[in-house]
Amino acid sequence: MQTFWSWRYKLRSCLVSLCLGWLCCFCVAAPYESIRSDEIPHDCDIPVEWQGWYGCKETLVIRQRAPSIAVQSRGSPQRRQLAERIYAYEAALPEDLLQQGIGPPGNTNRLLKVFNKLMTGLPVSLSFIGGSITEGGGVPFHDRPPLSFTGKVTNWFRDTYPNSSVRVQNAGVGGVTSLYYAQCVDMFVPDEDVDLVFVDFTLNDRASGIMGKSSEPDTPDRRGYELLLRKLLGYRQHPAIIALHSWSPFFNHPSFFSTAEDPVQSIVAYYGLQSVSMRNALFHSTWQRRQNFKGSQWLCDNIHPNTLGHRYYADIIVGLLQDVALQAVLHPYEELEASQFDTPPPMYDNNLESSTTCLRGDLLQQRVYQAVGWNWVDEGRDGRHKYGYVTDEPDHDIIFVVNTAGCPNPSTIVTLGIGHLKSYERMGQALVSCVSGCTCTPTVFDGHNPASLASQEFWAYIAVSQAEQCVFEVASLTSTKSGQNKVKVTSLLLTCMDPQDAHEIPIFKQTAATVGATVN
């Protein structure tokens, strides 16, 4: 018995020693320039003020970049004050990583026009578009305004240019790709007075092929990204566009090229736009597990950055903005003729903009004639809305009525897009067929996507005839590859497509093949 208690005492002493050693290794911080408790890495759902309960608090090195010597030595007092405000931002990323994350300068005319407006006190409008990271995913809902990357970038603009009114729109939609977003961009970002758009779809857009290897770079995803840029570039205010290449070491695997970033960046470069890259900035530091760069420290799950990760995103974006803002200080902007902002021909053949009608939210509900076994639900959380019509059972019908008439050419194909959810579990199949007024060939779409780690919205395309009242139905089927029968319809798309063009565009090639439609 004495031996038993002796061993028990020794075991307990050993465990205590191990715990103390762990605390010494992980909680005793090396000397840092500053400790910021509001930037502690934490899980998605743990509020910042609770972090003391969840183990050790990390410390960060806070740095300010230095303004140009040219401004410091010979700039006017006003310019020196502006330069000081430009560089007052405190970055957590060291300068070498920050520089790695800033992409090629491209053509800065559009962005210089934005900074000229700010310097003269004119109002400026910003829009952030993308997926759940742009929405603020990874930051607790009540902390998003100050701690998400969109909030930090917004605050930099307002702190740097206090005499200008900076209006901001966050039009992020969780789980969508650029191909999906491009068709409805007018709804999300109206063509009004937007001056600068941040575009974040690289993570949601699928990489071409497996592990970045593909013999076919011309894919619907790449075309969708280009189409989105072309539509935005054609807005009346000639907005500047900055591409944000999000990255996750767990979602994209430990390969530098297993991401859509490289083919997407080629599109960005083609149009002379600016970009920032999380992969280029953090890849080596993350896989080397450097302090504050371990995946578990700046990510809250396999995809979304936590508050520290959002700060890294903001650091790189602000770094890019600082460089161009300083350029605007040193070199007064000269007004350019409208022709200087002309959009070049598409990078991909026939990938031209076309007028579309996108029905989502209230507009989608207004087109429902009858719904049997379908419910209008919001499957979002943490303040992120994900509305749509959902059924979990087979043999349930929902009937829509839409106007497919009005294309300039009576023989033009009307492409009807059914926005639907795809996921790796629970999803079933549905049959789309025309009921009256218009004609189409019935087709099936499948929401099961076992190769993906995420739930995303996609379009299922079907060619229909023109009619002022086109009545069609979506019916859930008993057949399923997941073992369950959930179907979710999130939106509808209507677009006119010239029959000759339809042969040349991959997404409409797929439409014709799928529905058996005649496109000649």
Side-chain angles (χ1 to χ4, degrees), residues 275-351:
S275 64
V276 297
S277 169
M278 288 294 289
R279 178 196 67 177
N280 293 354
L282 299 181
F283 184 87
H284 295 294
S285 295
T286 296
W287 289 112
Q288 291 168 5
R289 296 183 61 78
R290 288 174 53 188
Q291 183 64 22
N292 291 324
F293 295 104
K294 301 171 187 175
S296 60
Q297 290 179 308
W298 65 271
L299 290 165
C300 75
D301 55 26
N302 287 341
I303 299 175
H304 303 95
N306 56 25
T307 54
L308 178 60
H310 272 267
R311 177 163 191 155
Y312 290 161
Y313 275 58
D315 288 353
I316 304 174
I317 296 171
V318 171
L320 167 63
L321 294 171
Q322 288 173 328
D323 291 345
V324 183
L326 181 61
Q327 184 181 347
V329 172
L330 295 174
H331 306 287
Y333 176 77
E334 296 181 4
E335 289 291 341
L336 300 175
E337 296 181 1
S339 60
Q340 297 291 323
F341 299 107
D342 287 348
T343 305
M347 180 173 165
Y348 295 112
D349 292 341
N350 297 309
N351 199 29

Side-chain angles (χ1 to χ4, degrees), residues 177-349:
T177 64
S178 61
L179 175 60
Y180 183 97
Y181 205 99
Q183 309 293 356
C184 299
V185 65
D186 296 342
M187 171 181 288
F188 297 122
V189 183
D191 183 4
E192 294 175 351
D193 297 325
V194 61
D195 296 289
L196 173 57
V197 184
F198 297 88
V199 179
D200 174 26
F201 285 105
T202 302
L203 193 63
N204 278 12
D205 283 2
R206 296 167 293 179
S208 298
I210 300 175
M211 297 299 288
K213 300 177 182 179
S214 173
S215 59
E216 179 54 74
D218 187 352
T219 67
D221 296 297
R222 304 294 88 80
R223 284 180 169 269
Y225 194 93
E226 182 188 31
L227 187 61
L228 174 61
L229 296 186
R230 292 186 63 82
K231 287 188 173 183
L232 292 170
L233 289 170
Y235 275 17
R236 288 173 293 176
Q237 289 291 328
H238 308 298
I241 298 174
I242 295 177
L244 170 58
H245 299 312
S246 297
W247 174 74
S248 164
F250 305 121
F251 187 72
N252 292 120
H253 308 291
S255 172
F256 193 77
F257 54 76
S258 60
T259 165
E261 178 170 335
D262 295 319
V264 167
Q265 178 60 27
S266 68
I267 302 172
V268 173
Y270 177 83
Y271 289 96
L273 305 177
Q274 290 71 49
S275 64
V276 297
S277 169
M278 288 294 289
R279 178 196 67 177
N280 293 354
L282 299 181
F283 184 87
H284 295 294
S285 295
T286 296
W287 289 112
Q288 291 168 5
R289 296 183 61 78
R290 288 174 53 188
Q291 183 64 22
N292 291 324
F293 295 104
K294 301 171 187 175
S296 60
Q297 290 179 308
W298 65 271
L299 290 165
C300 75
D301 55 26
N302 287 341
I303 299 175
H304 303 95
N306 56 25
T307 54
L308 178 60
H310 272 267
R311 177 163 191 155
Y312 290 161
Y313 275 58
D315 288 353
I316 304 174
I317 296 171
V318 171
L320 167 63
L321 294 171
Q322 288 173 328
D323 291 345
V324 183
L326 181 61
Q327 184 181 347
V329 172
L330 295 174
H331 306 287
Y333 176 77
E334 296 181 4
E335 289 291 341
L336 300 175
E337 296 181 1
S339 60
Q340 297 291 323
F341 299 107
D342 287 348
T343 305
M347 180 173 165
Y348 295 112
D349 292 341

Side-chain angles (χ1 to χ4, degrees), residues 354-355 404-416 439 462-467 494-502 508 518-520:
S354 61
S355 60
T404 60
C407 295
N409 185 345
S411 64
T412 295
I413 291 175
V414 176
T415 298
L416 169 64
T439 59
I462 182 170
V464 301
S465 62
Q466 295 191 46
L494 296 168
T495 183
C496 299
M497 177 55 57
D498 188 289
Q500 294 181 350
D501 292 340
F508 293 106
T518 302
V519 293
N520 52 26

Side-chain angles (χ1 to χ4, degrees), residues 3 46 67 83 192 214 243 268 473 479:
T3 303
I46 302 175
E192 294 175 351
S214 173
V268 173
E473 71 173 3
S479 58

Side-chain angles (χ1 to χ4, degrees), residues 17-30 32 56 58 291 294 297:
S17 299
L18 286 173
C19 290
L20 289 174
W22 181 88
L23 289 172
C24 290
C25 291
F26 290 94
C27 290
V28 178
Y32 283 89
C56 306
E58 300 293 346
Q291 183 64 22
K294 301 171 187 175
Q297 290 179 308

Side-chain angles (χ1 to χ4, degrees), residues 49-55:
E49 60 267 23
W50 295 357
Q51 291 311 300
W53 301 358
Y54 288 85

